[in-house]
């Protein structure tokens, strides 16, 4: 028997909500958008409110919220939703601190609600095939290059440069979400250099060195100053040859041969998974990418560079 669709509200109708969430919800069975809570934006044909508190007090019937706001402030929104008995889907990164996301995990469990800490890059087409392939091979090293033009991808996003906005880790955490998924063993940070513009509270570049439990190197370079071609690549060297994920995990090249080139289905996969979690009464709260970012700040040697102007 078909289930009643989950009645969903989006909170924070900004770039990612418009670029990805609206279309993905529309394309997913079992979930309907019925409301939006956003201070400066609204949508036709759904109930609109200024913020989540107005939404929750309104009496409009919803089962779940999808939080598409910046990470700072998302804890209060998620907490309010869970306390009101709503399932919660979190954009990445799941919060501004580790302690707040662990608190949400506990609250969701106590309330018997689903909490989904999404990592959209993990849902990219080449990630699961790469994980399977790596598990069959003998790993030698991993290197990540995640280099993009902040002016192009994050124009006018003041929050991203504020404490909790993560700076270059806002995209860099996507790489870490893939590496934590495809690696057959855990890894931990051994060196971190963070480059901060003189006028900003968040880094514009990061150079990280990790080691796996068995001592293999994992290197990551994140940079927001890349103009021209953009780079979102993960290169995995194995005894049997090289596996490369490119285009943010949507393409796979194995020993020089292109294997997977697929259209972007990341957000449709996320909503399919959210429907399944809610239906089963489960949560998915792997915060390991955020743990690595927190470590990078804890161990980070700070380098100052010239002021950055939008
Ligand atoms: P954005 O364009 O700034 O949109 C966020 C929206 O949240 C704003 O439009 C704003 O709408 C609302 N909001 C509520 N409180 C806010 C506050 N204190 N400051 C600023 N906005 C506030 O950001 P975004 O790019 O959509 O990113 C949102 C989240 O999605 C981030 O965690 C980001 O990492 C993630 N994400 C973004 C992308 C991307 O390509 N941009 C990709 C994947 C994931 P109102 O003013 O109407 O309230």
């Amino acid at each position: 028997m078909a289930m009643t669709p989950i009645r969903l509200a989006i909170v924070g109708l900004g770039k990612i909500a418009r670029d990805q969430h609206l279309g993905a919800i529309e394309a997913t069975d079992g979930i309907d958008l019925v409301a939006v809570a956003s201070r400066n934006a609204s949508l036709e044909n759904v109930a609109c409110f200024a913020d989540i508190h107005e939404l929750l007090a309104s009496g409009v019937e919803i089962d779940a919220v999808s939080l598409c706001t910046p990470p700072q402030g998302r804890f209060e929104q998620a907490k309010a939703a869970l306390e009101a008995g709503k399932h919660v889907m979190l954009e990445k990164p799941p919060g501004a601190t580790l302690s707040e996301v662990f608190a949400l995990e506990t609250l969701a469990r106590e309330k018997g609600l689903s909490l989904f800490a999404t990592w959209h890059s993990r849902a990219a087409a080449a990630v699961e095939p790469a994980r399977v392939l790596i598990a069959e091979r003998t790993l030698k090293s991993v290197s990540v290059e995640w280099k993009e033009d902040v002016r192009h991808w994050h124009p006018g996003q003041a929050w991203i440069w504020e404490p909790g906005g993560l700076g270059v880790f806002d995209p860099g955490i996507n790489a870490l979400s893939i590496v934590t998924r495809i690696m057959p063993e855990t890894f931990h940070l051994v060196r971190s250099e963070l480059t901060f513009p003189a006028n900003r509270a968040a880094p514009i570049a990061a150079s990280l060195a990790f080691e796996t439990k068995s001592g293999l190197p994992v290197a990551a370079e994140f940079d927001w100053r890349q103009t021209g071609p953009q780079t979102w690549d993960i290169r995995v060297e194995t005894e049997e040859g090289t596996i490369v994920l490119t285009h943010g995990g949507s393409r796979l090249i194995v020993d020089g041969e292109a294997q997977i080139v697929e259209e972007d289905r990341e957000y449709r996969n996320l909503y399919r998974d959210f429907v399944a979690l809610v239906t089963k009464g489960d949560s998915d709260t792997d915060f390991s990418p955020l743990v690595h970012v927190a470590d990078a700040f804890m161990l980070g040697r700070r380098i100052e560079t010239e002021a950055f102007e939008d």
Side-chain angles (χ1 to χ4, degrees):
M1 198 175 67
M3 301 278 297
T4 313
I6 297 162
R7 295 163 298 182
L8 180 78
I10 281 187
V11 181
L13 192 62
K15 184 171 189 314
I16 198 59
R18 289 184 188 279
D19 285 359
Q20 295 287 351
H21 288 253
L22 295 179
I25 295 162
E26 183 73 39
T28 305
D29 289 337
I31 192 159
D32 290 339
L33 184 69
V34 299
V36 162
S38 209
R39 300 162 309 176
N40 301 296
S42 59
L43 263 192
E44 281 183 8
N45 303 323
V46 299
C48 293
F49 303 92
D51 61 35
I52 191 165
H53 303 292
E54 258 191 33
L55 162 68
L56 293 172
S58 70
V60 166
E61 292 194 2
I62 59 165
D63 306 300
V65 297
S66 181
L67 301 187
C68 302
T69 45
Q72 308 101 319
R74 222 186 281 136
F75 173 73
E76 289 306 328
Q77 297 158 352
K79 180 166 164 278
L82 290 168
E83 283 175 344
K86 313 302 175 196
H87 306 287
V88 174
M89 176 161 160
L90 300 168
E91 249 300 351
K92 51 61 57 173
T97 69
L98 282 173
S99 45
E100 70 183 41
V101 296
F102 287 123
L104 291 178
E105 185 181 37
T106 303
L107 182 58
R109 194 168 45 244
E110 286 168 359
K111 294 278 183 187
L113 293 163
S114 298
L115 179 65
F116 185 16
T118 66
W119 300 106
H120 67 87
S121 293
R122 275 190 184 172
V127 174
E128 180 58 15
R131 187 190 69 74
V132 170
L133 197 57
I134 291 165
E136 292 165 355
R137 294 185 169 197
T138 306
L139 196 68
K140 282 165 54 181
S141 67
V142 178
S143 61
V144 177
E145 253 194 282
W146 224 253
K147 297 181 177 174
E148 63 178 44
D149 181 355
V150 64
R151 287 189 176 89
H152 178 81
W153 297 103
H154 302 281
Q157 291 185 339
W159 60 265
I160 216 161
W161 290 105
E162 295 297 324
L166 298 189
V168 76
F169 287 98
D170 178 82
I173 202 168
N174 296 331
L176 293 171
S177 76
I178 295 176
V179 181
T180 48
R181 173 54 57 86
I182 63 177
M183 289 288 281
E185 58 175 347
T186 59
F187 56 95
H188 57 274
L189 190 70
V190 293
R191 183 184 61 76
S192 167
E193 278 180 9
L194 307 180
T195 302
F196 286 76
N199 60 342
R200 302 286 176 163
I204 196 164
S207 176
L208 309 174
F210 302 89
E211 253 178 41
T212 68
K213 193 153 58 69
S214 60
L216 301 173
V218 179
E221 298 294 328
F222 303 153
D223 206 316
W224 251 352
R225 297 164 295 189
Q226 177 105 330
T227 51
Q230 308 283 286
T231 313
W232 298 285
D233 293 350
I234 298 170
R235 189 178 178 87
V236 181
E237 299 292 350
T238 71
E239 297 287 356
E240 296 84 357
T242 306
I243 299 164
V244 188
L245 288 120
T246 69
H247 297 76
S250 60
R251 300 191 188 179
L252 183 65
I253 302 163
V254 180
D255 308 326
E257 300 261 332
Q259 309 275 314
I260 292 178
V261 180
E262 209 186 80
E263 60 154 332
D264 173 20
R265 295 184 55 88
E266 292 177 18
Y267 280 82
R268 275 176 283 170
N269 292 342
L270 292 181
Y271 276 99
R272 177 204 61 201
D273 292 350
F274 186 51
V275 170
L277 286 171
V278 171
T279 305
K280 283 196 233 144
D282 286 344
S283 284
D284 181 348
T285 51
D286 177 5
F287 301 130
S288 57
L290 192 62
V291 170
H292 288 302
V293 172
D295 278 1
F297 280 91
M298 286 170 76
L299 207 60
R301 198 154 63 81
R302 186 187 169 104
I303 298 165
E304 197 162 295
T305 188
E306 62 192 36
F308 175 84
E309 305 303 338
D310 281 311

